[in-house]
Amino acid sequence: MTPLVGHPLPAFSLQDDQGATVTAADLKGHWTVLYAYPKDSTPGCTTEACDFRDNLARVQSLGAQVYGISRDSLKSHQNFITKQSLPFRLLSDPDCALLKPLGAFGKKLMYGREVEGIIRSTFLVDPKGIVRHAWPKVSVKGHVQDVLDVLSNLKG
């Protein structure tokens, strides 16, 4: 279990793909799936985003909303959303203001080398803003189904 589980989502104020400011307070009142991913339009990130896209109705039927977060620019997010027909918002965190407190930015292995970057992670936040579940190192295949299963169990 990650240290964040059972604690409030860290305070943040980030811009979404449309330039609107989104804060932790804006997420209250809904279950929220917040997934951190390394880079727009890369193979694994595209697969993950499209899996959330294709299962969004199932996520919403459980009363949850989806947000993606990466260090990409608003323009990059806009292009990614258009190209992949993504029906959810993407947050831009170029300074890792939220990614670092989430533990979603740091040292990781990439092609056998240690690099610093975004660690693919997902956080399930309840309507009161409390992190209820975290996936600290996500493997894309089957991940969205796992999120759905946990969300269903927590709500049930």
Side-chain angles (χ1 to χ4, degrees):
M1 190 152 77
T2 65
L4 281 177
V5 174
H7 296 278
L9 186 67
F12 70 91
S13 179
L14 298 173
Q15 285 190 307
D16 72 4
D17 50 275
Q18 297 303 308
T21 300
V22 177
T23 67
D26 293 328
L27 304 186
K28 289 189 175 171
H30 300 276
W31 283 88
T32 301
V33 175
L34 178 64
Y35 78 96
Y37 64 98
K39 190 149 182 57
D40 290 341
S41 300
T42 57
C45 297
T46 299
T47 298
E48 184 176 28
C50 291
D51 204 7
F52 274 115
R53 175 197 68 201
D54 296 346
N55 287 285
L56 187 62
R58 293 173 66 205
V59 172
Q60 290 173 331
S61 75
L62 293 168
Q65 57 190 355
V66 173
Y67 284 84
I69 178 172
S70 76
R71 295 175 68 191
D72 293 301
S73 68
L74 300 185
K75 182 76 177 148
S76 177
H77 279 344
Q78 290 163 0
N79 291 339
F80 190 37
I81 284 171
T82 300
K83 190 173 179 184
Q84 302 303 331
S85 302
L86 301 179
F88 49 83
R89 296 159 85 180
L90 299 178
L91 303 177
S92 180
D93 190 3
D95 301 322
C96 301
L98 180 57
L99 289 164
K100 281 184 180 175
L102 287 174
F105 185 87
K107 292 189 185 321
K108 63 181 187 174
L109 283 179
M110 197 162 148
Y111 307 115
R113 284 184 337 151
E114 190 173 79
V115 297
E116 206 173 53
I118 294 179
I119 300 161
R120 191 182 307 277
S121 316
T122 301
F123 305 88
L124 185 56
V125 183
D126 76 11
K128 293 180 178 167
I130 306 298
V131 178
R132 290 294 167 202
H133 196 90
W135 292 263
K137 289 186 179 161
V138 167
S139 176
V140 173
K141 190 169 174 55
H143 177 59
V144 173
Q145 184 59 54
D146 193 29
V147 171
L148 286 162
D149 292 345
V150 170
L151 179 59
S152 182
N153 288 336
L154 283 172
K155 291 199 67 192

